[in-house]
């Protein structure tokens, strides 16, 4: 069963959200790359190549083949250039500030100890 928890609802800061249409063949990978360049105000050649973090072909296949009838969309999560990214099979790409997540986790851990 896929991870259906909506990461970012409580412990992350959403900095960018965009979408793609998996039904029309729009690429999840290209959408992710475009979103990362937007967030970082960078050119495509200035960001970490996605292929060094995730297998782009496998990600595309998972997104394309995940059944629309599933109760929750498939979520693929990774960290790229210090950003937590989530690509969903329903065509949503979200980018979160990984540093804010790390800071809140450290803060929560220090409160618990």
């Amino acid at each position: 069963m896929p991870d259906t928890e909506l990461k970012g609802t409580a412990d992350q800061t959403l900095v960018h959200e965009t979408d793609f249409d998996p039904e029309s063949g729009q690429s999840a990978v290209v959408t992710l790359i475009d979103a990362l360049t937007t967030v970082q105000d960078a050119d495509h050649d200035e960001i970490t190549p996605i292929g060094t973090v995730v297998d782009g072909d496998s990600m595309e296949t998972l997104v394309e083949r995940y059944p629309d009838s599933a109760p929750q969309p498939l979520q693929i999560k990774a960290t790229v250039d210090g950003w937590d990214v989530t690509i969903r099979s329903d065509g949503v790409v979200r980018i979160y500030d990984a540093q804010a997540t790390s800071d809140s986790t450290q803060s929560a851990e220090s409160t618990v100890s």
Side-chain angles (χ1 to χ4, degrees):
M1 172 152 263
D3 176 10
T4 57
E5 176 186 337
L6 289 178
K7 195 173 180 187
T9 55
D11 64 343
Q12 289 186 306
T13 303
L14 179 67
V15 295
H16 187 76
E17 181 174 312
T18 190
D19 58 11
F20 63 98
D21 183 1
E23 298 292 319
S24 71
Q26 283 184 308
S27 169
V29 172
V30 171
T31 303
L32 173 59
I33 292 168
D34 290 344
L36 286 166
T37 60
T38 297
V39 169
Q40 296 181 52
D41 192 26
D43 292 327
H44 288 165
D45 61 347
E46 296 175 319
I47 65 170
T48 298
I50 297 302
T52 64
V53 180
V54 297
D55 181 329
D57 291 336
S58 295
M59 184 173 73
E60 292 286 357
T61 299
L62 286 169
V63 168
E64 289 170 8
R65 294 186 181 172
Y66 194 74
D68 292 335
S69 61
Q72 296 287 332
L74 171 75
Q75 295 188 73
I76 301 168
K77 299 176 183 182
T79 300
V80 181
D81 288 342
W83 303 99
D84 288 336
V85 300
T86 300
I87 301 94
R88 294 177 18 165
S89 62
D90 61 356
V92 176
V93 173
R94 292 182 176 151
I95 300 180
Y96 302 93
D97 184 346
Q99 184 59 42
T101 303
S102 175
D103 290 346
S104 68
T105 301
Q106 290 173 355
S107 175
E109 288 173 353
S110 64
T111 302
V112 172
S113 10

PDB file of all heavy atoms in Angstrom, residues 3-4 10-11 13 20 23 25 29 37 40 42-44 65-68 70 74 79 86 88-90 94 106:
ATOM      1  N   ASP A   3       2.264   5.137   0.557  1.00  0.00           N
ATOM      2  CA  ASP A   3       2.245   6.088   1.657  1.00  0.00           C
ATOM      3  C   ASP A   3       1.222   7.156   1.308  1.00  0.00           C
ATOM      4  O   ASP A   3       1.375   7.893   0.355  1.00  0.00           O
ATOM      5  CB  ASP A   3       3.639   6.703   1.808  1.00  0.00           C
ATOM      6  CG  ASP A   3       3.685   7.785   2.866  1.00  0.00           C
ATOM      7  OD1 ASP A   3       2.700   7.931   3.620  1.00  0.00           O
ATOM      8  OD2 ASP A   3       4.708   8.474   2.941  1.00  0.00           O
ATOM      9  N   THR A   4       0.140   7.230   2.077  1.00  0.00           N
ATOM     10  CA  THR A   4      -0.923   8.177   1.748  1.00  0.00           C
ATOM     11  C   THR A   4      -0.957   9.366   2.697  1.00  0.00           C
ATOM     12  O   THR A   4      -1.811  10.223   2.590  1.00  0.00           O
ATOM     13  CB  THR A   4      -2.290   7.480   1.770  1.00  0.00           C
ATOM     14  OG1 THR A   4      -2.488   6.894   3.058  1.00  0.00           O
ATOM     15  CG2 THR A   4      -2.380   6.426   0.693  1.00  0.00           C
ATOM     16  N   ALA A  10       1.522  19.177   8.938  1.00  0.00           N
ATOM     17  CA  ALA A  10       1.793  19.660  10.274  1.00  0.00           C
ATOM     18  C   ALA A  10       3.236  20.097  10.490  1.00  0.00           C
ATOM     19  O   ALA A  10       3.491  21.019  11.237  1.00  0.00           O
ATOM     20  CB  ALA A  10       1.447  18.580  11.302  1.00  0.00           C
ATOM     21  N   ASP A  11       4.167  19.425   9.833  1.00  0.00           N
ATOM     22  CA  ASP A  11       5.562  19.648  10.188  1.00  0.00           C
ATOM     23  C   ASP A  11       6.416  20.204   9.060  1.00  0.00           C
ATOM     24  O   ASP A  11       7.614  20.275   9.182  1.00  0.00           O
ATOM     25  CB  ASP A  11       6.181  18.352  10.707  1.00  0.00           C
ATOM     26  CG  ASP A  11       6.232  17.266   9.640  1.00  0.00           C
ATOM     27  OD1 ASP A  11       5.517  17.390   8.627  1.00  0.00           O
ATOM     28  OD2 ASP A  11       6.977  16.296   9.821  1.00  0.00           O
ATOM     29  N   THR A  13       6.870  23.210   5.713  1.00  0.00           N
ATOM     30  CA  THR A  13       6.443  24.457   5.106  1.00  0.00           C
ATOM     31  C   THR A  13       6.377  24.274   3.597  1.00  0.00           C
ATOM     32  O   THR A  13       7.405  24.068   2.948  1.00  0.00           O
ATOM     33  CB  THR A  13       7.442  25.587   5.457  1.00  0.00           C
ATOM     34  OG1 THR A  13       7.534  25.701   6.875  1.00  0.00           O
ATOM     35  CG2 THR A  13       6.994  26.896   4.850  1.00  0.00           C
ATOM     36  N   PHE A  20       0.459  18.597 -13.059  1.00  0.00           N
ATOM     37  CA  PHE A  20       0.640  18.081 -14.408  1.00  0.00           C
ATOM     38  C   PHE A  20      -0.526  17.144 -14.673  1.00  0.00           C
ATOM     39  O   PHE A  20      -1.225  16.735 -13.748  1.00  0.00           O
ATOM     40  CB  PHE A  20       1.988  17.359 -14.568  1.00  0.00           C
ATOM     41  CG  PHE A  20       2.138  16.141 -13.693  1.00  0.00           C
ATOM     42  CD1 PHE A  20       1.902  14.873 -14.196  1.00  0.00           C
ATOM     43  CD2 PHE A  20       2.517  16.261 -12.365  1.00  0.00           C
ATOM     44  CE1 PHE A  20       2.032  13.748 -13.391  1.00  0.00           C
ATOM     45  CE2 PHE A  20       2.653  15.143 -11.557  1.00  0.00           C
ATOM     46  CZ  PHE A  20       2.415  13.884 -12.072  1.00  0.00           C
ATOM     47  N   GLU A  23      -2.866  12.019 -17.465  1.00  0.00           N
ATOM     48  CA  GLU A  23      -3.734  11.446 -18.494  1.00  0.00           C
ATOM     49  C   GLU A  23      -3.323  11.907 -19.899  1.00  0.00           C
ATOM     50  O   GLU A  23      -3.509  11.194 -20.869  1.00  0.00           O
ATOM     51  CB  GLU A  23      -5.198  11.831 -18.236  1.00  0.00           C
ATOM     52  CG  GLU A  23      -5.741  11.302 -16.923  1.00  0.00           C
ATOM     53  CD  GLU A  23      -5.879   9.795 -16.909  1.00  0.00           C
ATOM     54  OE1 GLU A  23      -6.307   9.219 -17.928  1.00  0.00           O
ATOM     55  OE2 GLU A  23      -5.549   9.190 -15.871  1.00  0.00           O
ATOM     56  N   GLY A  25      -0.268  12.704 -20.782  1.00  0.00           N
ATOM     57  CA  GLY A  25       1.125  12.381 -21.058  1.00  0.00           C
ATOM     58  C   GLY A  25       2.115  13.425 -20.582  1.00  0.00           C
ATOM     59  O   GLY A  25       3.307  13.319 -20.888  1.00  0.00           O
ATOM     60  N   VAL A  29       8.415  14.160 -14.216  1.00  0.00           N
ATOM     61  CA  VAL A  29       9.816  14.536 -14.038  1.00  0.00           C
ATOM     62  C   VAL A  29      10.063  15.962 -14.523  1.00  0.00           C
ATOM     63  O   VAL A  29      10.687  16.767 -13.837  1.00  0.00           O
ATOM     64  CB  VAL A  29      10.755  13.533 -14.747  1.00  0.00           C
ATOM     65  CG1 VAL A  29      12.194  14.021 -14.728  1.00  0.00           C
ATOM     66  CG2 VAL A  29      10.651  12.157 -14.112  1.00  0.00           C
ATOM     67  N   THR A  37      13.427  24.525 -10.436  1.00  0.00           N
ATOM     68  CA  THR A  37      14.103  25.708 -10.983  1.00  0.00           C
ATOM     69  C   THR A  37      13.373  26.979 -10.572  1.00  0.00           C
ATOM     70  O   THR A  37      14.002  28.005 -10.321  1.00  0.00           O
ATOM     71  CB  THR A  37      14.246  25.641 -12.521  1.00  0.00           C
ATOM     72  OG1 THR A  37      12.962  25.556 -13.123  1.00  0.00           O
ATOM     73  CG2 THR A  37      15.112  24.473 -12.943  1.00  0.00           C
ATOM     74  N   GLN A  40      14.218  27.610  -6.802  1.00  0.00           N
ATOM     75  CA  GLN A  40      15.617  27.986  -6.601  1.00  0.00           C
ATOM     76  C   GLN A  40      16.029  29.182  -7.458  1.00  0.00           C
ATOM     77  O   GLN A  40      17.173  29.632  -7.357  1.00  0.00           O
ATOM     78  CB  GLN A  40      16.524  26.791  -6.930  1.00  0.00           C
ATOM     79  CG  GLN A  40      16.302  25.618  -5.994  1.00  0.00           C
ATOM     80  CD  GLN A  40      17.223  24.465  -6.307  1.00  0.00           C
ATOM     81  OE1 GLN A  40      18.433  24.629  -6.402  1.00  0.00           O
ATOM     82  NE2 GLN A  40      16.656  23.284  -6.458  1.00  0.00           N
ATOM     83  N   ALA A  42      16.698  29.237 -10.594  1.00  0.00           N
ATOM     84  CA  ALA A  42      17.889  28.703 -11.266  1.00  0.00           C
ATOM     85  C   ALA A  42      17.518  28.174 -12.642  1.00  0.00           C
ATOM     86  O   ALA A  42      16.348  27.946 -12.946  1.00  0.00           O
ATOM     87  CB  ALA A  42      18.490  27.578 -10.431  1.00  0.00           C
ATOM     88  N   ASP A  43      18.535  27.964 -13.461  1.00  0.00           N
ATOM     89  CA  ASP A  43      18.342  27.312 -14.751  1.00  0.00           C
ATOM     90  C   ASP A  43      18.386  25.803 -14.552  1.00  0.00           C
ATOM     91  O   ASP A  43      18.897  25.304 -13.540  1.00  0.00           O
ATOM     92  CB  ASP A  43      19.449  27.725 -15.729  1.00  0.00           C
ATOM     93  CG  ASP A  43      19.364  29.185 -16.120  1.00  0.00           C
ATOM     94  OD1 ASP A  43      18.234  29.717 -16.196  1.00  0.00           O
ATOM     95  OD2 ASP A  43      20.427  29.803 -16.354  1.00  0.00           O
ATOM     96  N   HIS A  44      17.875  25.069 -15.530  1.00  0.00           N
ATOM     97  CA  HIS A  44      17.845  23.604 -15.430  1.00  0.00           C
ATOM     98  C   HIS A  44      19.224  23.005 -15.166  1.00  0.00           C
ATOM     99  O   HIS A  44      19.345  22.032 -14.415  1.00  0.00           O
ATOM    100  CB  HIS A  44      17.242  22.988 -16.692  1.00  0.00           C
ATOM    101  CG  HIS A  44      15.768  23.197 -16.795  1.00  0.00           C
ATOM    102  ND1 HIS A  44      15.079  23.007 -17.947  1.00  0.00           N
ATOM    103  CD2 HIS A  44      14.838  23.594 -15.890  1.00  0.00           C
ATOM    104  CE1 HIS A  44      13.799  23.251 -17.755  1.00  0.00           C
ATOM    105  NE2 HIS A  44      13.629  23.623 -16.514  1.00  0.00           N
ATOM    106  N   ARG A  65       0.913   4.365 -14.287  1.00  0.00           N
ATOM    107  CA  ARG A  65       0.202   3.093 -14.148  1.00  0.00           C
ATOM    108  C   ARG A  65      -0.572   2.946 -12.851  1.00  0.00           C
ATOM    109  O   ARG A  65      -1.307   1.968 -12.681  1.00  0.00           O
ATOM    110  CB  ARG A  65       1.188   1.933 -14.282  1.00  0.00           C
ATOM    111  CG  ARG A  65       1.771   1.870 -15.669  1.00  0.00           C
ATOM    112  CD  ARG A  65       2.611   0.654 -15.841  1.00  0.00           C
ATOM    113  NE  ARG A  65       3.182   0.615 -17.186  1.00  0.00           N
ATOM    114  CZ  ARG A  65       4.063  -0.244 -17.575  1.00  0.00           C
ATOM    115  NH1 ARG A  65       4.498  -1.165 -16.743  1.00  0.00           N
ATOM    116  NH2 ARG A  65       4.528  -0.200 -18.809  1.00  0.00           N
ATOM    117  N   TYR A  66      -0.434   3.870 -11.936  1.00  0.00           N
ATOM    118  CA  TYR A  66      -1.158   3.755 -10.668  1.00  0.00           C
ATOM    119  C   TYR A  66      -2.646   3.945 -10.957  1.00  0.00           C
ATOM    120  O   TYR A  66      -3.037   4.901 -11.628  1.00  0.00           O
ATOM    121  CB  TYR A  66      -0.656   4.793  -9.662  1.00  0.00           C
ATOM    122  CG  TYR A  66      -1.102   4.508  -8.258  1.00  0.00           C
ATOM    123  CD1 TYR A  66      -0.532   3.478  -7.530  1.00  0.00           C
ATOM    124  CD2 TYR A  66      -2.111   5.260  -7.675  1.00  0.00           C
ATOM    125  CE1 TYR A  66      -0.934   3.208  -6.237  1.00  0.00           C
ATOM    126  CE2 TYR A  66      -2.524   5.000  -6.383  1.00  0.00           C
ATOM    127  CZ  TYR A  66      -1.937   3.971  -5.672  1.00  0.00           C
ATOM    128  OH  TYR A  66      -2.348   3.699  -4.398  1.00  0.00           O
ATOM    129  N   PRO A  67      -3.486   3.051 -10.473  1.00  0.00           N
ATOM    130  CA  PRO A  67      -4.906   3.104 -10.839  1.00  0.00           C
ATOM    131  C   PRO A  67      -5.624   4.346 -10.293  1.00  0.00           C
ATOM    132  O   PRO A  67      -5.472   4.713  -9.136  1.00  0.00           O
ATOM    133  CB  PRO A  67      -5.488   1.823 -10.234  1.00  0.00           C
ATOM    134  CG  PRO A  67      -4.511   1.378  -9.201  1.00  0.00           C
ATOM    135  CD  PRO A  67      -3.177   1.939  -9.589  1.00  0.00           C
ATOM    136  N   ASP A  68      -6.401   4.964 -11.174  1.00  0.00           N
ATOM    137  CA  ASP A  68      -7.213   6.113 -10.761  1.00  0.00           C
ATOM    138  C   ASP A  68      -8.247   5.716  -9.720  1.00  0.00           C
ATOM    139  O   ASP A  68      -8.712   6.547  -8.950  1.00  0.00           O
ATOM    140  CB  ASP A  68      -7.936   6.725 -11.969  1.00  0.00           C
ATOM    141  CG  ASP A  68      -6.976   7.374 -12.945  1.00  0.00           C
ATOM    142  OD1 ASP A  68      -5.870   7.772 -12.523  1.00  0.00           O
ATOM    143  OD2 ASP A  68      -7.339   7.491 -14.130  1.00  0.00           O
ATOM    144  N   ALA A  70      -7.807   3.893  -7.158  1.00  0.00           N
ATOM    145  CA  ALA A  70      -7.227   3.700  -5.820  1.00  0.00           C
ATOM    146  C   ALA A  70      -7.810   4.736  -4.861  1.00  0.00           C
ATOM    147  O   ALA A  70      -8.108   5.866  -5.260  1.00  0.00           O
ATOM    148  CB  ALA A  70      -5.715   3.826  -5.881  1.00  0.00           C
ATOM    149  N   LEU A  74      -0.882   7.694  -5.242  1.00  0.00           N
ATOM    150  CA  LEU A  74       0.480   7.275  -4.931  1.00  0.00           C
ATOM    151  C   LEU A  74       1.313   8.528  -4.690  1.00  0.00           C
ATOM    152  O   LEU A  74       1.150   9.532  -5.389  1.00  0.00           O
ATOM    153  CB  LEU A  74       1.051   6.498  -6.111  1.00  0.00           C
ATOM    154  CG  LEU A  74       2.549   6.170  -6.055  1.00  0.00           C
ATOM    155  CD1 LEU A  74       2.791   5.039  -5.060  1.00  0.00           C
ATOM    156  CD2 LEU A  74       3.051   5.790  -7.428  1.00  0.00           C
ATOM    157  N   THR A  79      14.318  14.020  -1.421  1.00  0.00           N
ATOM    158  CA  THR A  79      14.927  15.302  -1.079  1.00  0.00           C
ATOM    159  C   THR A  79      15.907  15.651  -2.181  1.00  0.00           C
ATOM    160  O   THR A  79      16.773  14.849  -2.530  1.00  0.00           O
ATOM    161  CB  THR A  79      15.649  15.231   0.284  1.00  0.00           C
ATOM    162  OG1 THR A  79      14.686  14.887   1.284  1.00  0.00           O
ATOM    163  CG2 THR A  79      16.275  16.574   0.638  1.00  0.00           C
ATOM    164  N   THR A  86       7.364  16.018  -3.211  1.00  0.00           N
ATOM    165  CA  THR A  86       6.366  14.962  -3.296  1.00  0.00           C
ATOM    166  C   THR A  86       5.733  15.032  -4.676  1.00  0.00           C
ATOM    167  O   THR A  86       5.263  16.094  -5.089  1.00  0.00           O
ATOM    168  CB  THR A  86       5.270  15.136  -2.217  1.00  0.00           C
ATOM    169  OG1 THR A  86       5.875  15.099  -0.926  1.00  0.00           O
ATOM    170  CG2 THR A  86       4.239  14.029  -2.302  1.00  0.00           C
ATOM    171  N   ARG A  88       2.751  13.238  -6.820  1.00  0.00           N
ATOM    172  CA  ARG A  88       1.581  12.383  -6.621  1.00  0.00           C
ATOM    173  C   ARG A  88       1.017  11.907  -7.949  1.00  0.00           C
ATOM    174  O   ARG A  88       1.075  12.616  -8.945  1.00  0.00           O
ATOM    175  CB  ARG A  88       0.507  13.142  -5.835  1.00  0.00           C
ATOM    176  CG  ARG A  88       0.946  13.461  -4.429  1.00  0.00           C
ATOM    177  CD  ARG A  88      -0.028  14.252  -3.628  1.00  0.00           C
ATOM    178  NE  ARG A  88      -1.397  14.269  -4.125  1.00  0.00           N
ATOM    179  CZ  ARG A  88      -2.423  14.665  -3.388  1.00  0.00           C
ATOM    180  NH1 ARG A  88      -2.240  15.073  -2.157  1.00  0.00           N
ATOM    181  NH2 ARG A  88      -3.639  14.677  -3.913  1.00  0.00           N
ATOM    182  N   SER A  89       0.446  10.718  -7.935  1.00  0.00           N
ATOM    183  CA  SER A  89      -0.107  10.130  -9.158  1.00  0.00           C
ATOM    184  C   SER A  89      -1.331  10.874  -9.676  1.00  0.00           C
ATOM    185  O   SER A  89      -1.728  10.685 -10.822  1.00  0.00           O
ATOM    186  CB  SER A  89      -0.448   8.652  -8.936  1.00  0.00           C
ATOM    187  OG  SER A  89      -1.439   8.513  -7.927  1.00  0.00           O
ATOM    188  N   ASP A  90      -1.921  11.751  -8.858  1.00  0.00           N
ATOM    189  CA  ASP A  90      -3.062  12.536  -9.336  1.00  0.00           C
ATOM    190  C   ASP A  90      -2.609  13.843  -9.989  1.00  0.00           C
ATOM    191  O   ASP A  90      -3.417  14.706 -10.305  1.00  0.00           O
ATOM    192  CB  ASP A  90      -4.058  12.806  -8.217  1.00  0.00           C
ATOM    193  CG  ASP A  90      -3.485  13.606  -7.052  1.00  0.00           C
ATOM    194  OD1 ASP A  90      -2.272  13.914  -7.057  1.00  0.00           O
ATOM    195  OD2 ASP A  90      -4.250  13.918  -6.124  1.00  0.00           O
ATOM    196  N   ARG A  94       4.549  18.893  -5.086  1.00  0.00           N
ATOM    197  CA  ARG A  94       4.718  19.832  -3.965  1.00  0.00           C
ATOM    198  C   ARG A  94       6.178  19.876  -3.558  1.00  0.00           C
ATOM    199  O   ARG A  94       6.847  18.853  -3.515  1.00  0.00           O
ATOM    200  CB  ARG A  94       3.869  19.414  -2.771  1.00  0.00           C
ATOM    201  CG  ARG A  94       2.393  19.547  -3.026  1.00  0.00           C
ATOM    202  CD  ARG A  94       1.585  19.163  -1.814  1.00  0.00           C
ATOM    203  NE  ARG A  94       0.164  19.385  -2.077  1.00  0.00           N
ATOM    204  CZ  ARG A  94      -0.797  18.687  -1.519  1.00  0.00           C
ATOM    205  NH1 ARG A  94      -0.511  17.744  -0.649  1.00  0.00           N
ATOM    206  NH2 ARG A  94      -2.049  18.942  -1.817  1.00  0.00           N
ATOM    207  N   GLN A 106      14.077  18.933  15.139  1.00  0.00           N
ATOM    208  CA  GLN A 106      15.058  19.126  16.201  1.00  0.00           C
ATOM    209  C   GLN A 106      14.414  19.802  17.390  1.00  0.00           C
ATOM    210  O   GLN A 106      14.663  19.443  18.535  1.00  0.00           O
ATOM    211  CB  GLN A 106      16.224  19.970  15.684  1.00  0.00           C
ATOM    212  CG  GLN A 106      17.091  19.237  14.690  1.00  0.00           C
ATOM    213  CD  GLN A 106      18.141  20.131  14.065  1.00  0.00           C
ATOM    214  OE1 GLN A 106      18.178  21.333  14.309  1.00  0.00           O
ATOM    215  NE2 GLN A 106      18.982  19.549  13.241  1.00  0.00           N
TER     216      GLN A 106
END
